[in-house]
């Protein structure tokens, strides 16, 4: 069994949202790229949804505006310093305001049938677990907890009967292409990758890349962290691990192909030689709409694919010399235990250091590799174990980025 086959099996127990029976939803990370796209779809079909809770890190003004528009019952900022601004902005609206870690968990624990996990990074782990523990349908965009704490996330969902719906475009594509085929009929999962903004750049040029260049993704409009991950292709490395978690297949079953147009969002190759793919315009509203409508299909105004305008679809192998993050992530997956936890934590720290201009672009993956090599691993079945390895990897990564690029590489910068 896998999270995906559990979801396929559960589909019969759920009804798509309808005007007679609107679906209650909560959006964690409502002010982000995923959160806003989710709420834009909800705004197209307001009769189908009731918004329970919306959360953000600290942007109180933006959160309050969304909470008013969508008549949410509760709005939560994770940062307590933003509480006063949120409460003032919501005065007289009837929306309850709250702040802090406990309030964030409460937002996830409130009885919404469907929850978008749209926070970025490991900050999303605890609220996602809170939604899974009560058996909700969780549309999961927030890939870092799946990578870092995969067994814990899956076990929590399995125990409560919660359903995990993949939102990451590749995993959503695979989920759709798999339909209710048994995983035993799968020969390979083919993850497509755009190659990011530096797909054709030389290593010399990449060494001097700025945060502005790294976040300027050619096809997708996304938050800063995932945009940098796309530029290093660590995003695709994280997605290999994410696919292993969601679909329960072996690492060698998962292939990565660079597809610069981002039209074929991923494919499943079956044992009979058939390949099934999901195609669409590169717009996250499409996979999000799939999760919002599940187990039915939502009618939306999301952009439509014009194959004639696209004209051609190209595919090429990834270049391991310029994009070593891919192999590093595979190594972490094969090592298992805490290795994916360490990989993810070190990457979060290194990406933040790059965005703050403390390290160069190529130092991101070097830092992750150094941290991965310097820490031992052990099983990470519990939240305590995940948290301990995550914290230790962040400590080591901080020490490396504060001291400049990893030892022995300084001359190259
Ligand atoms: P984003 O930076 O645009 O938004 C992140 C959201 O999380 C914001 O609402 C922010 O307020 C909130 N947040 C950030 N730190 C927080 C914290 N410490 N505590 C509580 N809330 C916090 O990010 P995004 O691009 O929307 O990505 C969200 C997740 O979805 C990421 O895990 C990303 O990998 C995944 N994802 C995004 C896309 C995309 O198109 N943006 C595609 C696939 C997967
Ligand atoms: Mg993706």
């Amino acid at each position: 069994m896998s999270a995906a086959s559990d979801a396929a099996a559960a589909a019969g127990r759920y009804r798509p949202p309808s005007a007679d029976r609107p679906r209650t939803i909560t959006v964690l990370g409502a002010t982000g790229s995923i959160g806003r796209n989710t709420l834009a779809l909800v705004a197209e079909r307001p009769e189908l949804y009731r918004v329970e809770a919306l959360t953000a890190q600290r942007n109180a003004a933006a959160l309050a505006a969304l909470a008013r528009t969508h008549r949410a019952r509760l709005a939560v900022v994770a940062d307590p310093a933003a509480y006063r601004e949120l409460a003032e902005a919501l005065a007289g609206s009837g929306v309850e305001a709250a702040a802090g870690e406990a309030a964030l968990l409460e937002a996830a624990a409130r009885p919404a049938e469907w929850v978008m996990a749209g926070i970025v990074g490991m900050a999303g782990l605890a609220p996602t677990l809170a939604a899974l523990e009560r058996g909700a349908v969780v549309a999961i965009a927030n890939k870092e907890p799946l990578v870092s704490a995969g067994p814990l996330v899956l076990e929590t969902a399995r125990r409560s009967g919660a359903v995990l719906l993949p939102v990451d475009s590749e995993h959503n594509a695979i989920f759709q292409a798999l339909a209710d085929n048994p995983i035993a009929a799968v020969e390979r999962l083919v993850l497509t990758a755009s190659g990011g903004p530096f797909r054709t750049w030389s290593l010399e040029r990449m060494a001097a890349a700025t945060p502005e260049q790294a976040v300027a993704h050619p096809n997708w409009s996304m938050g800063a962290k995932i945009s940098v991950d796309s530029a290093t292709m660590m995003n695709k490395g994280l997605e290999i691990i994410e696919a292993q978690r969601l679909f329960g297949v072996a690492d060698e079953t998962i292939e990565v192909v660079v597809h610069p147009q981002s039209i074929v969002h991923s494919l499943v190759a079956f044992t009979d030689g058939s390949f099934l793919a999901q195609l669409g315009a590169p717009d996250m509203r499409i996979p999000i709409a799939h999760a919002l409508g599940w187990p039915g299909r939502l009618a939306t105004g999301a952009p439509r694919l014009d194959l004639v305008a696209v004209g051609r679809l190209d595919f090429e192998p990834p270049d391991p010399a310029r994009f070593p993050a891919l192999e590093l992530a595979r190594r972490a997956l094969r090592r298992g235990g805490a290795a994916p936890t360490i990989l993810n934590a070190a990457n979060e720290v290194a990406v933040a250091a790059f965005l703050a201009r403390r390290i160069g672009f190529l130092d991101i993956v070097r830092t992750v590799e150094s941290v991965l090599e310097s820490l031992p691993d052990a099983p990470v079945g519990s939240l305590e174990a995940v948290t301990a390895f995550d914290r230790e990897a962040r400590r080591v990564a901080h020490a490396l980025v504060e001291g400049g690029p990893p030892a022995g590489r300084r001359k190259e910068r």
Side-chain angles (χ1 to χ4, degrees):
M1 290 300 272
S2 67
S5 56
D6 289 347
R13 288 192 276 118
Y14 289 84
R15 274 189 286 164
S18 64
D20 297 342
R21 204 184 150 282
R23 176 176 278 176
T24 29
I25 69 165
T26 281
V27 181
L28 305 172
T31 55
S33 165
I34 290 288
R36 286 179 183 280
N37 277 316
T38 306
L39 291 170
L41 289 163
V42 168
E44 285 188 39
R45 305 297 306 278
E47 73 283 7
L48 300 183
Y49 302 96
R50 296 272 179 280
V51 177
E52 179 68 35
L54 300 179
T55 79
Q57 183 174 24
R58 61 172 66 93
N59 190 341
L63 181 65
L66 291 168
R68 280 179 180 270
T69 304
H70 294 278
R71 299 159 180 252
R73 294 164 71 110
L74 171 68
V76 172
V77 275
D79 183 353
Y83 174 72
R84 182 192 287 267
E85 190 190 346
L86 181 68
E88 279 168 11
L90 288 174
S93 66
V95 183
E96 191 186 335
E101 297 262 313
L104 185 61
L105 291 183
E106 199 214 310
R110 286 230 187 155
E113 302 163 75
W114 187 99
V115 175
M116 171 55 79
I119 292 175
V120 58
M122 279 297 272
L125 173 62
T128 299
L129 290 176
L132 290 172
E133 270 158 15
R134 63 177 179 79
V137 176
V138 176
I140 187 146
N142 186 195
K143 67 188 81 180
E144 294 88 351
L146 268 178
V147 170
S148 172
L152 176 65
V153 170
L154 298 181
E155 178 54 24
T156 306
R158 200 198 54 75
R159 267 205 319 268
S160 69
V163 174
L164 274 170
L165 299 178
V167 171
D168 208 349
S169 57
E170 298 76 4
H171 307 75
N172 180 268
I174 289 170
F175 183 59
Q176 293 197 49
L178 270 175
D180 45 18
N181 286 287
I183 210 76
V186 172
E187 201 163 76
R188 271 178 308 139
L189 301 181
V190 185
L191 294 176
T192 53
S194 68
F198 305 150
R199 180 177 62 89
T200 60
W201 285 33
S202 67
L203 267 174
E204 293 66 35
R205 255 185 106 190
M206 283 162 78
T210 64
E212 290 73 20
Q213 291 169 322
V215 301
H217 198 280
N219 305 340
W220 299 94
S221 160
M222 311 181 286
K225 196 265 176 179
I226 184 175
S227 297
V228 175
D229 284 345
S230 299
T232 58
M233 288 191 77
M234 182 61 87
N235 183 50
K236 210 53 53 182
L238 299 177
E239 289 183 356
I240 293 173
I241 304 177
E242 183 185 11
Q244 191 281 326
R245 307 315 201 198
L246 287 168
F247 304 111
V249 297
D251 144 60
E252 56 274 12
T253 306
I254 307 166
E255 183 186 338
V256 172
V257 171
V258 174
H259 165 45
Q261 292 92 353
S262 298
I263 298 296
V264 178
H265 296 306
S266 279
L267 312 89
V268 180
F270 290 97
T271 46
D272 61 2
S274 276
F275 281 61
L276 293 189
Q278 184 260 0
L279 283 71
D283 190 306
M284 283 308 290
R285 279 173 292 175
I286 296 170
I288 294 170
H290 176 259
L292 270 171
W294 181 90
R297 293 258 178 199
L298 198 64
T300 80
R304 301 306 196 244
L305 180 59
D306 180 344
L307 280 173
V308 174
V310 173
R312 54 184 275 182
L313 300 174
D314 294 302
F315 300 93
E316 60 195 44
D319 176 358
R322 287 180 305 125
F323 298 100
L326 274 175
E327 192 45 40
L328 195 60
R330 273 198 198 276
R331 253 161 54 200
L333 176 58
R334 274 185 229 122
R335 230 168 89 177
T341 315
I342 296 165
L343 174 94
N344 177 68
N347 184 56
E348 287 194 31
V349 171
V351 169
F354 169 70
L355 286 170
R357 297 177 209 279
R358 289 207 301 275
I359 61 172
F361 181 75
L362 296 180
D363 297 327
I364 299 172
V365 178
R366 288 172 185 155
T367 302
V368 177
E369 183 167 22
S370 300
V371 178
L372 204 53
E373 277 168 6
S374 71
L375 289 176
D377 34 54
V380 283
S382 71
L383 182 58
E384 293 68 34
V386 169
T387 310
F389 274 101
D390 179 85
R391 193 180 301 132
E392 181 60 5
R394 280 171 204 268
R395 191 188 63 73
V396 176
H398 270 297
L400 282 173
V401 300
E402 243 95 89
R409 316 277 180 125
R410 276 160 215 264
K411 283 199 298 290
E412 288 176 33
R413 287 183 77 222

